[in-house]
Amino acid sequence: VLNGVFMKNDKELYDDVEINVISNEKRPSDFPEYFNFYQNISQEEVATINNNSTLFLCTSVDEGFGLPGLEAMACGCVVVSTDYTGVHEYAIDKYNALLSPVCDVNALVTNIQTVFENEELKQNLSKNGINTGYDSSFENVAKRFEKIIHK
């Protein structure tokens, strides 16, 4: 995916992009050296990285609720994700995220490029994502749950 985003006709499109990868697994041996790789870091460190990032990329094929995407959204990252089942718990295509069909690498690349090249869309997705994160905070969800119980 990344070569398709950052290289075109052997010319770097976005030579100032910093790529941060957060994982509980060991760094894969085939990862490029220019990837910043963080293994088993604290929630505070994840939040710091998210707060300093523009885009959060999720390439899930299938999973339940994807909390890392929502956390990134709450920090102002634009979420570019596959359209897997769990992402619909918080993401709305072209409102607070850009979604691509699962396993469609070209669509992911296009969405990443769109974020980098359309400042107005990037700002709107980020703003709406922050609002989604706020609406999904523990306190707000607990209040809504309490109202349902009382009904």
Side-chain angles (χ1 to χ4, degrees):
V1 172
L2 294 172
N3 284 343
V5 175
F6 301 112
M7 301 295 289
K8 189 171 194 175
N9 299 327
D10 296 324
K11 181 180 176 194
E12 290 188 34
L13 291 175
Y14 308 110
D15 58 0
D16 61 343
V17 170
E18 183 176 321
I19 299 169
N20 298 307
V21 177
I22 300 170
S23 178
N24 292 328
E25 305 294 325
K26 290 184 179 179
R27 181 187 186 108
S29 61
D30 60 346
F31 262 33
E33 287 187 29
Y34 61 89
F35 283 21
N36 299 319
F37 192 86
Y38 302 91
Q39 181 183 1
N40 296 326
I41 61 175
S42 69
Q43 292 178 343
E44 292 79 16
E45 291 169 305
V46 172
T48 298
I49 291 169
N50 284 341
N51 279 319
N52 291 298
S53 297
T54 300
L55 185 142
F56 178 89
L57 177 63
C58 177
T59 59
S60 288
V61 173
D62 190 30
E63 67 177 283
F65 187 87
L67 186 58
L70 180 59
E71 291 172 334
M73 202 180 261
C75 290
C77 291
V78 174
V79 171
V80 172
S81 178
T82 53
D83 194 8
Y84 71 95
T85 306
V87 78
H88 292 281
E89 294 292 328
Y90 60 89
I92 301 169
D93 190 33
K94 297 179 183 63
Y95 172 73
N96 61 7
L98 294 180
L99 303 178
S100 308
V102 172
C103 297
D104 187 340
V105 174
N106 292 328
L108 278 172
V109 168
T110 297
N111 282 340
I112 293 168
Q113 289 173 330
T114 298
V115 170
F116 287 142
E117 295 172 10
N118 186 331
E119 186 64 31
E120 183 178 354
L121 177 64
K122 178 172 72 175
Q123 293 300 321
N124 285 333
L125 293 170
S126 176
K127 177 184 66 126
N128 293 335
I130 291 169
N131 290 336
T132 299
Y134 176 77
D135 290 342
S136 301
S137 72
F138 181 80
E139 292 80 15
N140 287 335
V141 171
K143 287 176 188 174
R144 288 196 300 268
F145 183 65
E146 184 178 16
K147 286 180 184 178
I148 292 169
I149 290 173
H150 288 296
K151 286 185 179 181

